Amino acid sequence: GVCCLQGNCSSSVDEATCTNVGGDWWAGYHCGNVDCNADPVGACCATSGNCSAQSEADCTSSGGEYHGD
């Protein structure tokens, strides 16, 4: 996996280190496949129970509940 922190991608840190410093961990990805300037997406579930992949901002603005990256 890779870690995105402040718009930069790093493959030299592990998941625990990445999250401890406030980075976004992208499991199974390589830096060439990740846009570190894009908002990460995660599960967003509507009150109806339907879930989709959205950014946290898009999810909460549409009234959904964000379940993490």
Side-chain angles (χ1 to χ4, degrees):
V2 298
C3 180
C4 286
L5 181 63
Q6 298 175 345
N8 297 305
C9 185
S10 174
S11 59
S12 64
V13 297
D14 61 23
E15 182 177 6
T17 302
C18 179
T19 55
N20 285 341
V21 297
D24 293 312
W25 181 253
W26 293 73
Y29 285 86
H30 301 281
C31 284
N33 303 56
V34 174
D35 179 358
C36 287
N37 292 310
D39 288 337
V41 295
C44 175
C45 298
T47 55
S48 65
N50 293 325
C51 299
S52 62
Q54 295 183 28
S55 70
E56 184 173 10
D58 289 344
C59 181
T60 55
S61 70
S62 66
E65 184 176 338
Y66 192 69
H67 293 275
D69 304 337

